[in-house]
């Protein structure tokens, strides 16, 4: 506990305050600054007290940073430390040790010496994020604890029965009409800018500009010119050129293999120097309909997917165009053009700095994060949960703030202080007759709002609760619209008291839905009856996310089979360039979260919510958000099945297994081409057959040697099939997963390829007329090549290995001959297959899962 501010701290704080006023130009000398502070104290004592406390904290921070923490402690705290030291304590165990980045870490550092340097053990469920912390604080924390010594993942605690199982769900919304207009305007500005940059005149003057290279033209960091493939650029070579529009500048850069201060003599060296630009530049020229310069390799199908987001290749080329060309020009019109690019990208959350690009605050991202339609989504989600749970529902809605004071000038009129906050969520729930039945209560650090229908009972139960604890509080209520604001007066009225009180009422069921901010309903808050959590926050750090989700994991003694549903509300506008910003935030939230999947595996990352949700872009979400939402509502009602998937109490494997998820392209039906089969291929059966061919080949080739290796395949939502091998080493898991990805994935330069045929059957007059048991023999059969597949690279190194794979492919999948694809007829077949199958490839994900 810190000591109360003494005269010394107050004096130093006042001196610091004077320095700040002089620096800000509010005072010209210390006497004027002191007079300003004294007048403020006389006229506005509350604000004076607030600012003096802030400066006192800065003084304390500086003192504690310099090793004087013990001198700042309350005398009773210092006395306790001395008594502990006298006992000869040999170890300190510090719970919630993530708080030791900052003030408490500085106290620990000083106490550590006083206590004779004991062993220090830190425990926490939420390791801290160390970004944006004072370097000395981070260094101190790491010196005490180092890397994590032992970690128990949440799924292990669930499987052992110490936490409640759960399932993560997501609901997708579109921005409102007004919000869409704003997002669209940002897109239109960027589109117009790109059009301006690419036009022949490029919107700039025709003055010649000097392109001389600064210094000696040597590329920093390249010490061996011959090895790097670079040449120095002389002043004569650089010369003077006419302004170039974006397309011409990219073409010239690729043609000359030149960066501002280095030229390369071969493409491989140029590409190695800046792979992001090398790929983005070719993509940009392709989309602009401009040919690639001689010597620059064409893009293959994998490098130019049809659904490639424009910003993915626009940003790298705009960044280099600004930094390498526009900013370096002495032509002021080119410099202004560069400023236009920077301003436009900043609107979309992309900042071009001297060294490259970085993320920055984006108005578009804020609009999506706090879309008004997110609050509206609470109604269908909670209505479904009410149907699922009846009166036992205990829902918690968590937001970032009650009201926001951070609405920028450009967003005024579109967003107000309540948009995206707790009050907006509270009002939305009251607006619908069904969710109003939950009797929602809003509780924040400064406000308590209740449904007007429970006013009398709420006040009566609160007064009884306070009386039982002998707390001195007088309660009153104030009518506001169709709800009531609760006020408290008395020495004991504080957020700590009323949060505990309202939590008890929530546990009892007076209210079945709490709305609050993560500052109050996060770490340290406990209500074990929560069975629905709706996350409307924007936090993405693992510490904050785990603290928030941890609220719903508590075991409920009265519901032995409890399982919680945790919902994310995500706003998307896929047709716009930043329309997946909120989805990206959703991904970051789940990077540190585990969840159970449809085949009973435990998966870390967004894929456990749905297999179609990936680290890059959701597959099919832009056209099927409604389908995903319907599926999530159905999942929410299947709590019993979800609990069974967790397999609580059964042994589990603590080492992750590498797995491949595949969604085969449409049209992969037909019958196995072996004759006699009456069951058509399904995604699962075909994936299984290919797995059998791959694993048998790897075993015979002695690339997998573990005894008892077996294939596991399971169906996931959305038509995905997951396959991996059990009882294998990590290296064997990896080679199997890689081989499956190569067989099922796009044809990206394989050494050998092999065809897969299917049998199709057509009805004839007799087959339709005769009974099924006889008529099937009169169907007309035909065989055709369904797809060309790559032979896995591990099995394509020589003819002997290829022959092994061909044998098992013919046994399990299809008759076919493996063909060398690097020259001759095989190369022609490969090129034909690449063109024909460009949009007919499997959707593949490689994951690490726990069993």
């Amino acid at each position: 506990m810190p000591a109360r501010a003494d005269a010394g701290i107050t004096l130093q704080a006042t001196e610091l305050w004077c320095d700040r006023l002089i620096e800000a130009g509010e005072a010209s000398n210390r006497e004027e600054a002191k007079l300003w502070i004294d007048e403020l104290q006389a006229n506005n004592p509350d604000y004076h007290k607030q600012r003096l406390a802030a400066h006192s904290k800065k003084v304390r921070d500086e003192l504690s940073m310099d090793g004087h923490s013990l001198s700042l402690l309350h005398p009773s705290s210092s006395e306790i430390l001395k008594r502990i030291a006298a006992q000869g304590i040999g170890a300190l165990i510090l719970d919630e040790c993530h708080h030791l980045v900052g003030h408490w870490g500085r106290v620990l550092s000083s106490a550590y010496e006083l206590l004779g340097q004991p062993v220090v053990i830190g425990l926490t469920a939420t390791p801290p994020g160390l970004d944006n912390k004072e370097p000395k604080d981070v260094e101190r924390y790491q010196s005490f604890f180092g890397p994590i010594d032992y970690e128990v993942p949440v799924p292990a605690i669930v499987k052992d029965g110490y936490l409640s199982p759960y399932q993560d769900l997501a609901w997708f919304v579109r921005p409102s009409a007004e919000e869409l207009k704003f997002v669209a305007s940002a897109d239109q500005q960027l589109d117009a800018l790109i059009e301006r940059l690419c036009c022949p005149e490029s919107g700039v003057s025709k003055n010649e500009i000097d392109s001389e290279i600064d210094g000696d033209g040597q590329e920093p960091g390249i010490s061996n010119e011959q090895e790097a493939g670079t040449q120095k650029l002389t002043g004569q070579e650089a010369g003077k050129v006419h302004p170039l529009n974006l397309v011409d500048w990219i073409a010239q850069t690729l043609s000359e293999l030149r960066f501002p201060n280095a030229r390369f003599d071969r493409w491989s060296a140029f590409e190695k120097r800046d792979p992001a630009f090398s790929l983005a530049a070719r993509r940009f020229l392709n989309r602009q309909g401009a040919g690639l310069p001689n010597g620059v390799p064409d893009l293959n199908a994998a490098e130019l997917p049809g659904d490639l987001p424009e910003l993915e290749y626009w940003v790298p080329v705009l960044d280099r165009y600004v930094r390498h060309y526009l900013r370096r020009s002495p032509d002021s019109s080119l410099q202004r053009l560069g400023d236009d690019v920077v301003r436009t990208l900043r609107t979309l959350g992309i900042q071009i700095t001297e060294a490259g690009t970085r993320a920055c605050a984006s108005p578009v991202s804020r609009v999506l994060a706090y879309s008004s339609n997110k609050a509206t989504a609470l109604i269908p989600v909670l209505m479904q949960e009410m149907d699922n749970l009846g009166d036992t529902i205990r829902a918690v809605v968590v937001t970032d703030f009650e009201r926001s004071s951070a609405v920028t000038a450009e967003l005024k009129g579109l967003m107000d202080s309540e948009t995206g906050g707790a009050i907006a969520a509270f009002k939305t729930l009251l607006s619908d007759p069904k969710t109003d039945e939950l009797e929602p209560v809003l509780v924040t650090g400064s406000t308590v709002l209740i449904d007007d229908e429970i006013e009398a009972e709420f006040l009566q139960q609160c007064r009884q609760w306070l009386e039982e604890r002998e707390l001195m509080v007088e309660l009153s209520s104030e009518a506001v619209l169709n709800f009531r604001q609760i006020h408290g007066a008395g020495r004991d009225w504080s957020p700590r008291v009323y949060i505990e009180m309202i939590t008890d009422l929530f546990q009892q069921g007076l209210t079945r839905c709490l709305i609050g901010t993560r500052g109050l309903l996060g770490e340290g808050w406990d209500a074990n009856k929560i069975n629905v959590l709706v996350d409307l926050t924007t936090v993405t750090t693992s510490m904050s996310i785990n603290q928030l989700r941890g609220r719903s994991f508590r075991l409920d003694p009265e519901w032995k089979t409890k399982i919680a549903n945790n919902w994310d509300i995500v706003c998307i506008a896929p047709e716009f360039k930043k329309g997946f910003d909120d989805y990206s935030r959703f991904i970051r939230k789940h990077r540190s979260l585990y969840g159970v999947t449809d085949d009973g595996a435990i998966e870390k990352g967004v894929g456990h919510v749905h297999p179609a949700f990936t680290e890059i872009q959701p597959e099919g979400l832009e056209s099927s958000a409604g389908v995903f939402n319907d599926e999530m509502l159905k999942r929410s009602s299947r709590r019993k099945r979800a609990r069974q998937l967790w397999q609580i109490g059964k042994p589990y494997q603590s080492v992750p297994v590498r797995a491949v998820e595949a969604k085969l392209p449409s049209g992969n039906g037909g019958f196995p081409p072996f004759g006699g089969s009456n069951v058509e291929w399904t995604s699962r059966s075909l994936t299984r057959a290919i797995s059998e061919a791959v694993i048998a080949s790897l075993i015979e080739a002695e690339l997998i040697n573990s005894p008892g290796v077996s294939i596991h395949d399971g169906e996931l939502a959305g038509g995905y099939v997951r396959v991996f091998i059990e009882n294998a080493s990590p290296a064997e898991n990896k080679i199997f997963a890689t081989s499956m990805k190569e067989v099922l994935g796009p044809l990206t330069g394989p050494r050998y390829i092999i065809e897969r045929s299917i049998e199709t059957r057509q009805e004839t007059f007799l087959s339709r007329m005769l009974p099924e048991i006889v008529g099937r023999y009169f169907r007309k059969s035909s065989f055709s090549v369904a797809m060309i597949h790559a032979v896995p690279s591990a099995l394509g190194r020589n003819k002997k290995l290829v022959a092994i794979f061909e044998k098992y492919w013919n046994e399990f999948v299809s008759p076919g001959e493996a063909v060398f694809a690097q020259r001759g007829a095989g190369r022609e077949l490969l090129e034909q297959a690449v063109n024909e199958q460009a949009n007919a490839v499997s959707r593949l994900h490689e994951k690490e899962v726990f069993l």
Side-chain angles (χ1 to χ4, degrees), residues 616-652:
I616 303 172
Q617 187 170 320
E619 294 167 355
L621 183 56
E622 60 271 22
S623 58
S624 306
V627 174
F628 283 113
N629 287 347
D630 289 343
E631 184 173 340
M632 293 294 162
L633 292 179
K634 292 174 183 176
R635 285 190 179 202
S636 74
S637 65
R638 297 198 290 259
R639 276 181 161 84
K640 183 177 180 181
R641 176 178 177 275
R643 186 178 177 87
Q644 290 171 345
L645 288 172
W646 277 97
Q647 302 180 66
I648 296 171
K650 295 184 179 179
Y652 56 90

Side-chain angles (χ1 to χ4, degrees), residues 697 753-754 791 801-811 814-819:
S697 302
I753 55 177
I754 193 166
V791 174
L801 292 174
V802 172
I804 292 174
F805 180 75
E806 181 182 298
K807 177 178 70 173
Y808 288 111
W809 184 265
N810 282 212
E811 178 181 343
S814 165
E817 179 184 355
V819 179

Side-chain angles (χ1 to χ4, degrees), residues 159 595-603 641 644-647 712 715-716 722 850-851:
K159 280 179 170 286
V596 69
T597 57
D598 297 329
D599 59 348
I602 303 297
E603 183 177 318
R641 176 178 177 275
Q644 290 171 345
L645 288 172
W646 277 97
Q647 302 180 66
H712 172 98
E715 290 183 295
L716 307 176
R722 173 148 50 206
F850 295 82
L851 305 177

Side-chain angles (χ1 to χ4, degrees), residues 470-665:
E470 298 181 351
L471 296 174
M472 302 296 293
V473 174
E474 287 294 326
L475 295 177
S476 61
S477 66
E478 175 189 0
V480 182
L481 301 176
N482 60 336
F483 53 89
R484 300 290 183 266
Q485 181 167 359
I486 302 301
H487 299 284
R491 71 183 185 192
D492 293 324
W493 182 249
S494 69
R496 180 186 62 79
V497 169
Y498 66 69
I499 288 171
E500 182 182 350
M501 177 178 69
I502 292 171
T503 299
D504 282 354
L505 301 184
F506 171 74
Q507 292 277 90
Q508 296 165 23
L510 176 61
T511 171
R512 291 175 292 150
C513 180
L514 288 184
I515 302 101
T517 57
R518 59 185 172 88
L520 288 182
L521 304 185
E523 179 184 13
W525 182 66
D526 189 14
N528 59 22
K529 290 193 175 298
I530 298 172
N531 44 41
V532 178
L533 173 71
V534 185
D535 182 0
L536 292 179
T537 73
T538 59
V539 293
T540 58
T541 62
S542 60
M543 184 177 79
S544 298
I545 291 299
N546 281 304
Q547 287 175 350
L548 182 59
R549 299 299 171 115
R551 302 314 98 198
S552 66
F553 298 169
R554 302 294 197 270
L555 296 175
D556 181 354
E558 297 180 1
W559 185 15
K560 300 295 185 182
T561 58
K562 171 185 171 180
I563 181 165
N565 283 344
N566 299 324
W567 289 86
D568 284 290
I569 311 298
V570 186
C571 184
I572 59 168
E575 66 272 34
F576 300 111
K577 295 174 180 63
K578 298 292 284 182
F580 277 129
D581 263 25
D582 202 43
Y583 177 81
S584 298
R585 192 178 295 108
F586 169 58
I587 287 175
R588 295 195 298 275
K589 281 186 177 185
H590 282 269
R591 278 187 182 148
S592 60
L593 296 177
Y594 293 88
V596 69
T597 57
D598 297 329
D599 59 348
I602 303 297
E603 183 177 318
K604 187 178 183 180
V606 73
H608 72 256
V609 185
H610 193 285
F613 302 158
T614 70
E615 288 285 323
I616 303 172
Q617 187 170 320
E619 294 167 355
L621 183 56
E622 60 271 22
S623 58
S624 306
V627 174
F628 283 113
N629 287 347
D630 289 343
E631 184 173 340
M632 293 294 162
L633 292 179
K634 292 174 183 176
R635 285 190 179 202
S636 74
S637 65
R638 297 198 290 259
R639 276 181 161 84
K640 183 177 180 181
R641 176 178 177 275
R643 186 178 177 87
Q644 290 171 345
L645 288 172
W646 277 97
Q647 302 180 66
I648 296 171
K650 295 184 179 179
Y652 56 90
Q653 184 173 314
S654 60
V655 178
V657 172
R658 195 177 294 264
V660 171
E661 291 173 6
K663 184 177 183 180
L664 302 185

Side-chain angles (χ1 to χ4, degrees), residues 426-459:
F426 176 73
K427 289 180 177 179
T428 299
L429 293 179
L430 293 183
S431 70
D432 185 88
K434 179 73 172 177
T435 52
D436 186 34
E437 295 175 10
L438 293 170
E439 317 294 5
V441 169
L442 177 146
V443 56
T444 70
S446 59
T447 306
V448 176
L449 304 178
I450 67 171
D451 189 350
D452 57 1
E453 297 169 359
I454 62 169
E455 178 184 10
E457 187 176 1
F458 180 89
L459 290 172

Side-chain angles (χ1 to χ4, degrees), residues 158-216:
V158 172
K159 280 179 170 286
D160 283 342
Y162 294 104
L163 285 179
S164 169
Y166 57 91
Q167 57 179 340
D168 287 316
L169 305 165
W171 183 271
F172 296 93
V173 300
R174 297 268 295 164
S176 69
E178 290 302 311
E179 292 164 351
L180 276 173
K181 288 180 183 177
F182 180 85
V183 176
S185 69
D187 260 30
Q188 290 161 4
Q189 290 177 39
L190 183 57
D191 288 338
L193 178 65
I194 291 291
E195 183 176 352
R196 176 185 170 195
L197 294 176
C198 292
C199 74
E201 295 299 318
S202 192
V204 299
S205 71
K206 287 297 182 181
N207 298 332
E208 292 187 337
I209 61 172
D210 191 350
S211 298
E212 288 189 9
I213 303 302
D214 295 333
D216 63 359

Side-chain angles (χ1 to χ4, degrees), residues 70 73 76-86 111 114-115:
L70 295 186
L73 294 181
S76 63
S77 296
S78 298
E79 182 60 30
I80 289 171
L81 281 173
K82 291 175 183 176
R83 287 165 55 194
I84 294 175
L114 176 66
L115 300 179

